Amino acid sequence: MPRVSVLLTCYNHLTYLPPALEGIRSQAFRDYEIIAIDDGSKDGTREWLAQQPDVRCIFNETNIGTYETLNVGLREASGEFIAVLNDDDLWMPDKLQRQVELLDRHPEVALVHTGGHFIDGDGNRTEGNPLGFAFPRFETGDILLGLVYENKIIASAALARAHVLRELGSFNRAYFGSGDWEMWFRVAEHHHVGFVDEPLTMYRVHGANASHKLERIWRDDEMLREWIAGELETHGGRFNAAELRKAKAFNQAALGTVKTLNGKAGEGRAAYSRSIKLDPGRWKSYLRYAATFLGPKAFRRLL
């Protein structure tokens, strides 16, 4: 049984797939299996994968989405650890080695991710924050409240204990692009998360990224924020009361924003009101509450 099962998720990125696969093959850590799960590609990806002798291929009969595709791979994986690599991203040669070493040293850690860089379609490093945020990072430990503020774990940077993912259940297929965020939150509710502070994962930013499909992401965010609000109520004794109230206030403000962007201004105002009640000093919530009366297009321009 291999120690690591690499789930290589593929969908119409044949241009980027060969360097992604080469990044796996170049790993210093060699005890792995590669499971490529293609979600209905029409660009020759399937034919190319079928020619790779070291790759176990699973071809979905229809397009079932990112997270159900990951669930297919998770069911077929035999490794102690699960790594995800999206077919347009890249790994540096020490990526798996550093992560396995950390997990072996820290049995309390269930998932470890790495630092990295954004790259463009040609593989060149992209300066700044092309997606509006810096490359995610967390220090090793209890990161649950940090995950309220943003998803700071790139899927391609993660390595998790397989039994933990299976115990927590499947990735939620109802999400378009935030199902990994929900899964990492579930992991962090019960376990510590580790971080390797080295640039070992390259996240490719190009015109076909799911993160560019804003309206679908907003619907995801509304569903996720409502779910997080319920989960935070179960962790009252875990955190400093003031820090927990601030996290709840932030989550309600974020919920207010996405509800307004989704055309639900009244529900957005209600969420902003809850944010203000939790944290009266959160001035952005007052401003955005007022901006909900302007309509979603004008509201978006003010963000």
Side-chain angles (χ1 to χ4, degrees):
M1 181 179 75
R3 295 205 72 194
V4 175
S5 292
V6 179
L7 306 185
L8 177 61
T9 59
C10 305
Y11 183 63
N12 285 338
H13 286 150
L14 182 58
T15 299
Y16 307 127
L17 181 54
L21 183 56
E22 186 55 37
I24 301 173
R25 290 169 172 161
S26 70
Q27 291 299 297
F29 183 86
R30 305 302 303 166
D31 190 6
Y32 62 76
E33 64 176 348
I34 305 172
I35 304 174
I37 315 100
D38 182 80
D39 196 26
S41 293
K42 305 296 184 183
D43 65 345
T45 288
R46 293 187 170 207
E47 294 77 7
W48 188 85
L49 283 171
Q51 298 173 7
Q52 308 307 309
D54 56 343
V55 177
R56 179 182 175 192
C57 299
I58 300 174
F59 298 139
N60 296 342
E61 292 185 7
T62 59
N63 182 270
I64 61 176
T66 299
Y67 300 109
E68 189 60 14
T69 294
L70 282 173
N71 290 334
V72 169
L74 187 58
R75 287 193 293 269
E76 295 297 323
S78 61
E80 177 184 357
F81 306 121
I82 302 293
V84 176
L85 179 61
N86 294 325
D87 60 355
D88 49 352
D89 295 334
L90 296 174
W91 286 349
M92 297 297 100
D94 288 337
K95 193 257 188 190
L96 291 180
Q97 184 72 47
R98 295 287 185 267
Q99 290 178 296
V100 171
E101 289 172 350
L102 190 149
L103 287 168
D104 284 344
R105 290 195 308 269
H106 297 280
E108 76 281 6
V109 170
L111 179 152
V112 57
H113 65 121
T114 79
H117 299 302
F118 296 110
I119 58 174
D120 63 20
D122 296 323
N124 301 311
R125 180 174 174 178
T126 301
E127 300 300 329
N129 304 326
L131 296 177
F133 55 86
F135 197 96
R137 58 173 297 142
F138 271 132
E139 298 301 329
T140 296
D142 184 347
I143 71 165
L144 185 64
L145 285 190
L147 283 171
V148 173
Y149 293 92
E150 59 185 316
N151 181 14
K152 288 199 171 185
I153 302 175
I154 296 290
S156 290
L159 181 72
R161 298 187 191 275
H163 75 88
V164 170
L165 297 185
R166 294 190 175 105
E167 288 166 4
L168 292 172
S170 303
F171 286 88
N172 189 337
R173 67 175 298 171
Y175 287 99
F176 167 68
S178 298
D180 52 330
W181 190 349
E182 190 211 59
M183 176 60 86
W184 311 150
F185 196 96
R186 281 190 271 155
V187 171
E189 286 188 288
H190 302 282
H191 305 276
H192 281 187
V193 170
F195 179 65
V196 177
D197 192 6
E198 299 178 41
L200 300 176
T201 303
M202 305 296 117
Y203 182 100
R204 195 184 300 272
V205 180
H206 54 87
N209 287 99
S211 51
H212 291 300
K213 299 176 175 65
L214 288 177
E215 291 185 0
R216 298 182 74 176
I217 292 295
W218 293 337
R219 291 196 293 270
D220 263 20
D221 282 352
E222 181 178 345
M223 180 167 58
L224 181 71
R225 290 296 177 184
E226 288 180 333
W227 176 78
I228 288 176
E231 293 300 297
L232 287 177
E233 294 302 320
T234 69
H235 294 286
R238 178 171 173 177
F239 301 106
N240 172 278
E243 291 180 351
L244 183 58
R245 285 178 67 86
K246 283 187 176 295
K248 288 180 176 180
F250 178 92
N251 189 64
Q252 288 297 328
L255 180 59
T257 297
V258 293
K259 279 187 174 291
T260 304
L261 291 170
N262 288 332
K264 304 173 184 177
E267 294 181 26
R269 284 190 285 276
Y272 282 127
S273 294
R274 292 191 292 271
S275 175
I276 291 166
K277 185 176 180 180
L278 287 161
D279 184 3
R282 187 177 170 77
W283 60 269
K284 282 186 179 180
S285 293
Y286 295 94
L287 295 177
R288 290 182 177 174
Y289 177 96
T292 62
F293 292 96
L294 301 176
K297 289 184 179 179
F299 179 84
R300 181 182 176 184
R301 287 196 294 269
L302 292 173
L303 293 179

